[in-house]
Amino acid sequence: MNPLRGITWPYAVIALLAVAAAAFGLLHPAAASTSSKKKPGATALIKQNPPPTLFTDARIAAIGRQARDERKKADALFAQWKAAHGTTRDDTAFAAWAARQVPAPPSAQRRTAELHQVQALARTRTAAGEKAASWLELYGKKDIWKLYLHDRRELIPAAQGTAEKAELKSALKLAKTISDRLAAKDAQPAPFVLDPSLRPDKHIEPGAKGPYSYPSRHAARSAAAVTLLSALSPHRAADYEWMRAEVLYSRLYMAGHLSSDLVAGTLLGDLIGDYELAVAGG
């Protein structure tokens, strides 16, 4: 059970970090003055725009199970990479290899069936659901994972925290790089491109082919972060998996992706997380 669900998840963490930030400013006014000129970090951004009520556990359960199923597949595949390459960092070679492990996009018939599922889900939207999905779309790429790591870093030595921050940054960057390359290569239009009525706010021009959605960048980044964070803090793995399911469901809810986009992105992200853990430990 996630102890942070319901009333305590965003607000307790944010309040704790806000108090720490305020104390730091009082004790180090010069540093606080300098930092105020910098671009706001994940903690500040989420403090300024706290999450609304998110989706219920029942709504996200199926997609959460689907994401967890990719874990064993990724571990088995990564064992092959590790056997051949060891734990030496080689991002270029790994990116090329990881891209080859992502299955080809499903058939047009299957994607059409998945589009019908997204269209049916869109008919159930509520104002509260759209608010939750919009928040998750905005912060689910990077910021929420950075906030989770920040929470952990409060309790570990500074040098270790700095190293883990670099690992997460590298994982998120790799996830974006590889998923963007695959999306451009496979050229699978997002659901709201196939059916512009799903997201009239996107203002899709007639005949548009993109944006492309296979594999999902949100899913790749979330899976990479969850794999990494869960290894660092196993006792909080359920919390991280819960948030990943929230992010993934939001992408279906607002027609950003089809389910196959999310599955492919999750597999890719799991591979990236395994890679980052291996090279960091090696």
Side-chain angles (χ1 to χ4, degrees):
M1 178 178 178
N2 185 343
L4 299 178
R5 295 181 193 180
I7 61 173
T8 62
W9 177 77
Y11 307 105
V13 174
I14 291 169
L16 177 62
L17 296 177
V19 170
F24 183 82
L26 290 173
L27 294 173
H28 304 275
S33 175
T34 300
S35 64
S36 66
K37 299 177 182 178
K38 297 179 181 179
K39 183 179 179 181
T43 301
L45 290 171
I46 294 177
K47 179 185 174 185
Q48 293 167 9
N49 183 20
T53 300
L54 301 182
F55 296 105
T56 65
D57 290 356
R59 295 291 291 269
I60 66 174
I63 203 164
R65 288 192 298 270
Q66 198 173 34
R68 286 193 296 273
D69 287 344
E70 296 304 300
R71 172 78 266 155
K72 291 182 179 178
K73 298 178 187 177
D75 288 346
L77 287 170
F78 184 73
Q80 299 173 20
W81 164 269
K82 190 174 180 180
H85 299 270
T87 58
T88 301
R89 179 177 286 279
D90 187 343
D91 290 358
T92 300
F94 172 77
W97 175 85
R100 294 195 297 271
Q101 310 315 305
V102 177
S107 67
Q109 182 178 9
R110 179 178 167 187
R111 286 185 67 85
T112 297
E114 291 182 357
L115 176 62
H116 291 163
Q117 294 173 350
V118 171
Q119 290 168 328
L121 181 59
R123 291 192 288 271
T124 72
R125 288 179 190 163
T126 63
E130 291 186 8
K131 187 175 182 180
S134 296
W135 189 91
L136 289 160
E137 179 178 357
L138 180 62
Y139 295 109
K141 289 180 183 178
K142 297 186 298 182
D143 293 324
I144 188 59
W145 309 115
K146 291 180 178 180
L147 179 58
Y148 272 129
L149 185 62
H150 188 289
D151 188 31
R152 169 180 161 78
R153 289 175 65 199
E154 295 294 306
L155 304 174
I156 60 178
Q160 181 182 347
T162 299
E164 292 178 1
K165 181 179 180 181
E167 291 169 27
L168 179 61
K169 181 178 180 180
S170 178
L172 294 173
K173 182 178 179 181
L174 264 178
K176 178 182 184 303
T177 297
I178 303 172
S179 58
D180 284 356
R181 287 177 186 170
L182 284 170
K185 177 179 73 72
D186 293 325
Q188 299 296 312
F192 63 80
V193 176
L194 297 171
D195 180 0
S197 71
L198 292 169
R199 289 293 296 272
D201 58 304
K202 294 293 188 179
H203 306 294
I204 301 299
E205 297 294 330
K209 301 297 183 182
Y212 302 127
S213 68
Y214 185 92
S216 163
R217 185 195 299 173
H218 273 83
R221 282 177 156 175
S222 294
V226 169
T227 298
L228 185 62
L229 290 168
S230 295
L232 298 176
S233 298
H235 63 289
R236 296 199 61 190
D239 297 340
Y240 306 142
E241 291 178 0
W242 166 70
M243 178 52 71
R244 175 178 60 188
E246 289 280 353
V247 172
L248 297 184
Y249 185 79
S250 75
R251 307 305 294 135
L252 289 178
Y253 192 85
M254 293 305 291
H257 288 286
L258 302 175
S259 59
S260 55
D261 302 338
L262 299 174
V263 171
T266 298
L267 176 66
L268 174 60
D270 284 338
L271 290 172
I272 293 167
D274 280 344
Y275 172 72
E276 288 295 337
L277 288 168
V279 298

